[in-house]
Amino acid sequence: MTGASTGMGAATAHALAARGFHVLAGVRRDHPGSPGVEPVLLDITDTEHVEALAARVAADERPLHAVVNNAGIQVNAPVEALPLAEWRHVFEVNLFGHVAVTQALLPALLRGGGRVVNISSVGGKAAMPTYGAYAGAKFALEAVSDALRREVEPLGVRVVVVEPGGVRTEMATRGIATANDLAGRMTPEQDRRYGGLVQAINSLMASGTSSGVTAQAAAEVIAKAVTARRPRTRYPVGRDAAVLTRLVRVLPDRALDRVIGATVRRHHPRVA
């Protein structure tokens, strides 16, 4: 699995190892292993790393049961204010890297009748303000997952999407720091337009994370997606994800805009 250094990824690696799997855990730097968990240096945007992972899998006599695409970054900024280089970086990590890993390992999955588990987000269903790049990549990952499922399930490979809401990990903390850094680079005009919005979204993100599920609880859902004999196509993680995915299905766009707008306004900084 990718993105296994900390948080939800590390918890999932250990949950799968506890179920008897030998887990190749993709990490960005040297990392101690543990029973059933073998760290593998993996930057999913680095072609050489991906090729080395495919070679490691091909050299193993054991069948490949699943690829869990979990690596990701969170970058939040208004569409107008986010530099194009940052847009491209978000898509490289949150979309194209997953496609690269899947392409490299799909032959092994086809031989063993394995499955692909893509870790998306509730942001792949509804795009909050300042989530344009992050949600855009997650929406795309959902679409790629649908296309892949319809291509390879007739060949014996299952494709599953996991959609977490708030999870108590370091990702949100890093996301808030990144959002503040990007906000500091906005022009004065952009700051007047969006400064309060950025603060509101940071507050909302912190609140959603603190009330979210634990990394271990999220890992149990991912492990279920990996091991279920007949997995569902999608698994929301957390009450917030379950509620929002239902709202997206039933509410018209304008009604959903009002719901999201009211939620964001509750977190806007108070003006004296």
Side-chain angles (χ1 to χ4, degrees):
M1 72 172 297
T2 68
S5 297
T6 60
M8 194 165 61
T12 300
H14 289 104
L16 291 172
R19 287 163 170 77
F21 290 98
H22 181 82
V23 182
L24 298 179
V27 296
R28 293 287 303 278
R29 56 189 62 87
D30 289 340
H31 199 279
S34 60
V37 179
E38 176 188 340
V40 176
L41 188 64
L42 180 62
D43 177 345
I44 63 173
T45 68
D46 187 316
T47 301
E48 291 184 358
H49 283 197
V50 175
E51 290 175 347
L53 174 64
R56 167 66 185 83
V57 170
D60 201 311
E61 295 181 353
R62 291 168 290 195
L64 181 60
H65 180 80
V67 173
V68 181
N69 286 311
N70 175 67
I73 56 172
Q74 186 158 348
V75 175
N76 293 78
V79 170
E80 178 189 357
L82 186 63
L84 276 177
E86 294 288 348
W87 279 87
R88 293 187 174 102
H89 182 56
V90 170
F91 273 74
E92 284 292 340
V93 177
N94 289 358
L95 178 65
F96 300 132
H98 298 320
V99 173
V101 171
T102 302
Q103 287 179 335
L105 298 182
L106 198 54
L109 290 173
L110 288 164
R111 285 193 297 272
R115 66 187 59 176
V116 177
V117 178
N118 287 330
I119 311 305
S120 179
S121 165
V122 68
K125 292 296 188 185
M128 299 286 287
T130 79
Y131 277 70
Y134 180 82
K138 293 298 187 181
F139 267 72
L141 182 62
E142 298 258 352
V144 169
S145 300
D146 285 341
L148 181 65
R149 185 181 69 250
R150 292 157 186 159
E151 292 163 2
V152 299
E153 285 206 353
L155 305 177
V157 173
R158 301 293 184 97
V159 179
V160 185
V161 176
V162 177
E163 298 164 335
V167 181
R168 299 202 295 270
T169 70
E170 297 175 3
M171 185 173 182
T173 302
R174 292 194 297 268
I176 290 171
T178 299
N180 286 331
D181 176 64
L182 290 166
R185 295 187 242 162
M186 292 193 300
T187 67
E189 292 80 7
Q190 290 170 345
D191 184 61
R192 283 194 291 272
R193 285 194 282 271
Y194 308 117
L197 174 63
V198 170
Q199 292 181 55
I201 292 296
N202 283 346
S203 173
L204 180 60
M205 193 188 315
S207 173
T209 299
S210 64
S211 62
V213 302
T214 64
Q216 289 70 29
E220 290 298 317
V221 179
I222 299 170
K224 182 177 181 180
V226 170
T227 58
R229 189 173 65 86
R230 298 182 64 185
R232 304 201 304 264
T233 58
R234 283 173 168 79
Y235 289 85
V237 179
R239 183 177 178 275
D240 55 343
V243 169
L244 190 53
T245 53
R246 290 192 188 100
L247 287 178
V248 169
R249 286 198 296 267
V250 300
L251 288 183
D253 288 345
R254 294 299 185 188
L256 188 59
D257 288 349
R258 289 193 290 273
V259 171
I260 291 175
T263 301
V264 173
R265 281 194 296 276
R266 287 198 292 271
H267 290 268
H268 262 272
R270 295 179 181 271
V271 178

